[in-house]
Amino acid sequence: QSALTQPASVSGSPGQSITISCTGTSSDVGGYNYVSWYQQHPGKAPKLMIYEVSNRPSGVSNRFSGSKSGNTASLTISGLQAEDEADYYCSSYTSSSTRVVFGGGTKLTVL
Amino acid sequence: QVQLVQSGAEVKKPGASVKVSCKASGYTFTSYGISWVRQAPGQGLEWMGWISAYNGNTNYAQKLQGRVTMTTDTSTSTAYMELRSLRSDDTAVYYCARVGVSGYDFDYWGQGTLVTVSS
């Protein structure tokens, strides 16, 4: 069982917007602004999409945005495109001795 | 450009050890930490630990304490992860990743190394 809870799957049509949630506790997501999001295509390494809750690395499309409210962080993808179909993982700093925890991952299907 | 190139796939027997390498290029190695993340087949990501390439300080995931050792060789800009007393549930793809600006995100990743533990 992962430390952070994500929906197993979400789907949307091209051009639509979707949101993936990531729920933790006050010891991780809710207590710190160190939430990151990763995109992983099958057989590939993960790619950083969002860091520190809402910051986009250079080169990442502005269709990807992040936010946080309480113990839940969210990744929103607007203007869905076929190439957005992938698995998405959230991660957070945690005050436990295991300093970083991941969510279980969400499979995004573009219909 | 930043690149992390990992060593090749390994097959090990239960109880054995494995050492995976991760050679960095395209940036000043000692200016960033390296984390290791693994992914069992069909499963999610699991953070294993972190090493400072500057001073060698480490922090390991609690469940792997005592079985994992992370090291670096600054002369070759290479990070290493050794896992001992291998079990079948250690079968996974092991990734190295450069630690990003926040200290808790991973901005560049290696291609992954499949470690299979089987008798």
Side-chain angles (χ1 to χ4, degrees):
Chain A
Q1 186 171 353
S2 302
L4 305 179
T5 301
Q6 299 181 231
S9 62
V10 298
S11 62
S13 298
Q16 288 186 331
S17 295
I18 63 95
T19 296
I20 300 172
S21 62
C22 170
T23 301
T25 69
S26 58
S27 296
D28 39 64
V29 173
Y32 309 91
N33 289 324
Y34 291 128
V35 176
S36 303
W37 289 90
Y38 301 87
Q39 176 191 66
Q40 186 180 36
H41 288 109
K44 300 295 187 182
K47 176 186 176 183
L48 179 66
M49 305 303 284
I50 296 287
Y51 67 97
E52 292 178 340
V53 176
S54 60
N55 293 317
R56 273 188 314 276
S58 173
V60 172
S61 171
N62 60 9
R63 297 186 299 106
F64 292 82
S65 62
S67 62
K68 189 183 83 167
S69 177
N71 293 337
T72 298
S74 298
L75 173 71
T76 298
I77 309 173
S78 59
L80 268 181
Q81 299 179 0
E83 60 260 36
D84 299 334
E85 186 163 292
D87 293 327
Y88 290 85
Y89 293 90
C90 63
S91 73
S92 174
Y93 169 80
T94 171
S95 56
S96 76
S97 58
T98 296
R99 294 306 178 103
V100 175
V101 289
F102 283 95
T106 298
K107 181 175 180 57
L108 169 61
T109 300
V110 180
L111 302 170
Chain B
Q1 72 283 20
V2 174
Q3 279 194 304
L4 300 174
V5 179
Q6 299 183 221
S7 49
E10 304 260 14
V11 179
K12 296 292 183 181
K13 294 192 182 304
S17 298
V18 69
K19 191 170 186 177
V20 179
S21 68
C22 169
K23 183 171 178 58
S25 61
Y27 71 98
T28 301
F29 182 67
T30 52
S31 295
Y32 296 82
I34 294 285
S35 267
W36 291 86
V37 176
R38 69 179 180 178
Q39 186 171 35
Q43 302 300 308
L45 302 172
E46 179 186 15
W47 183 79
M48 300 179 66
W50 161 90
I51 182 167
S52 165
Y54 174 70
N55 59 17
N57 285 350
T58 55
N59 182 265
Y60 302 137
Q62 191 169 12
K63 69 175 285 189
L64 295 174
Q65 287 274 2
R67 286 207 301 138
V68 68
T69 301
M70 297 176 187
T71 56
T72 59
D73 181 344
T74 56
S75 69
T76 59
S77 299
T78 303
Y80 298 92
M81 185 283 300
E82 181 180 33
L83 189 61
R84 300 177 293 278
S85 301
L86 288 168
R87 310 187 289 246
S88 58
D89 62 357
D90 291 318
T91 293
V93 175
Y94 289 74
Y95 293 102
C96 62
R98 192 181 80 165
V99 177
V101 293
S102 78
Y104 305 105
D105 64 270
F106 314 117
D107 58 1
Y108 289 91
W109 294 65
Q111 83 275 20
T113 296
L114 175 62
V115 175
T116 303
V117 183
S118 174
S119 54

